[in-house]
Amino acid sequence: MNICFIGRSRPGCIIGCLLLCIFLAVLFPRQVSAANVDALGITDDEGINENRTVINDPGTAEDAGDLRELNVANNLTVTYQDGEGNLSGTLRILITLTLIALAPTLIIMMTSFTRILVVMHFVRSALGTQSAPPNQVLIGLSLFLTFFIMNPVITQINDNAVKPFEAGELSQAEFLDTAVKPLREFMYGQTQTKDVRLFLDIDGIDTVEDIDDIPTRVLVPAFMISELRTAFIIGFLIYIPFIVIDMVVASTLMSMGMMMLPPTTISMPFKILLFVLADGWSLVIGNLVKTFY
């Protein structure tokens, strides 16, 4: 007898075999023996077999203690807080990983990173070098300068918020309020009053008496605008000596009749020479760091 009744091709034979197996399984169900009952841990009418993995049936728990003792397969229980009202260890790890993922955004918005990086790009543009130093070097230098400038703030957060929270002396809300306070004080010291007033007016807040009355949602964008304004002012001051060199070189080439020679080709070595002789990196970075103190 040929079971390949759905065509003579190979796929037809496979489908025919599958249909035949399903038909036989439905027509002749398997009988479970006593040995299989013991091996599989199936319960009988008198009690529960010792080999069974599920000790208690689902739905028999009456309180949280009974729920923890249940051993129900394919179920997931997440404890979101302990007896003292704090987050469990699993969720604390999840929140920590989330903060690590958001760390680049927090560094850009709430630290000195933006001002430093913008000024570094202005320096490179003023020198006329297209990719020297490369972006990776500028970002790395800006990042380490940010850690250097923000070190007092990080120390305050660690001493006043992280350590007491790990010791159980602060609750979740107290930890967040204490941790953000040094950052708010740093941002407020670098933010201009008119920028804060701008976002207060947009948010519909009429009057504030001190820094604690300014919402963080207002302080952060005001701080960013102030940082960009300060960085562009510093960049303009950096551009002035290099513009003078460009003008002198362009006038000299024009007076010599060398109209087809780009002035930047001649001026760039002189700008680099001036920057090196004046110890430009030390001057720029040193004075840039001092603007935060």
Side-chain angles (χ1 to χ4, degrees):
M1 176 180 178
N2 190 358
I3 63 174
C4 299
F5 50 84
I6 307 179
R8 294 292 180 177
S9 61
R10 185 180 300 272
C13 295
I14 296 175
I15 296 175
C17 292
L18 290 177
L19 292 177
L20 181 60
C21 293
I22 295 173
F23 174 76
L24 294 177
V26 173
L27 186 62
F28 304 102
R30 181 184 178 187
Q31 300 295 328
V32 180
S33 62
N36 291 332
V37 170
D38 295 335
L40 297 175
I42 302 176
T43 58
D44 52 12
D45 296 337
E46 297 180 355
I48 300 175
N49 191 280
E50 295 180 355
N51 296 328
R52 185 183 179 188
T53 57
V54 179
I55 299 176
N56 296 327
D57 294 330
T60 59
E62 297 180 356
D63 54 17
D66 294 341
L67 183 61
R68 285 194 296 268
E69 294 178 359
L70 286 177
N71 183 16
V72 181
N74 299 326
N75 282 348
L76 176 64
T77 301
V78 177
T79 303
Y80 63 91
Q81 71 176 33
D82 55 16
E84 300 179 356
N86 297 323
L87 292 177
S88 62
T90 304
L91 286 186
R92 289 181 62 184
I93 294 175
L94 178 61
I95 293 174
T96 302
L97 294 177
T98 303
L99 291 177
I100 292 175
L102 295 176
T105 304
L106 298 178
I107 291 175
I108 293 173
M109 293 190 305
M110 304 176 68
T111 65
S112 59
F113 180 81
T114 300
R115 184 191 302 185
I116 297 173
L117 185 60
V118 172
V119 171
M120 292 294 105
H121 277 281
F122 271 118
V123 171
R124 187 174 67 179
S125 299
L127 287 173
T129 56
Q130 299 297 326
S131 59
N135 291 331
Q136 294 84 348
V137 175
L138 293 183
I139 293 175
L141 179 60
S142 302
L143 188 61
F144 277 96
L145 288 177
T146 300
F147 289 150
F148 176 79
I149 294 171
M150 301 298 296
N151 182 64
V153 178
I154 297 174
T155 302
Q156 292 182 21
I157 295 175
N158 184 52
D159 295 339
N160 300 333
V162 177
K163 290 182 178 179
F165 177 72
E166 293 294 337
E169 301 175 0
L170 297 177
S171 63
Q172 304 290 330
E174 293 174 345
F175 166 73
L176 293 177
D177 293 339
T178 307
V180 79
K181 186 176 181 180
L183 283 174
R184 286 173 53 88
E185 293 177 352
F186 170 80
M187 290 189 293
Y188 184 76
Q190 305 297 326
T191 306
Q192 297 187 12
T193 305
K194 60 181 180 180
D195 295 328
V196 177
R197 174 52 54 191
L198 171 64
F199 286 96
L200 286 176
D201 294 339
I202 295 175
D203 199 34
I205 301 176
D206 297 331
T207 58
V208 292
E209 296 181 357
D210 55 9
I211 183 177
D212 295 332
D213 297 334
I214 303 176
T216 304
R217 66 179 183 274
V218 171
L219 187 57
V220 171
F223 169 74
M224 288 294 297
I225 290 179
S226 298
E227 287 293 284
L228 291 175
R229 179 185 292 108
T230 304
F232 273 72
I233 292 173
I234 297 174
F236 171 75
L237 297 176
I238 291 174
Y239 253 99
I240 292 177
F242 299 106
I243 290 177
V244 173
I245 295 178
D246 287 333
M247 294 176 62
V248 171
V249 171
S251 301
T252 304
L253 292 177
M254 186 174 295
S255 63
M256 295 175 61
M258 304 174 66
M259 308 294 294
M260 302 301 296
L261 182 63
T264 55
T265 305
I266 305 300
S267 63
M268 186 175 67
F270 289 98
K271 290 190 289 186
I272 295 176
L273 179 62
L274 173 64
F275 193 74
V276 172
L277 293 178
D279 197 8
W281 289 115
S282 178
L283 290 175
V284 171
I285 293 177
N287 289 280
L288 181 60
V289 171
K290 291 179 182 178
T291 58
F292 292 96
Y293 293 98

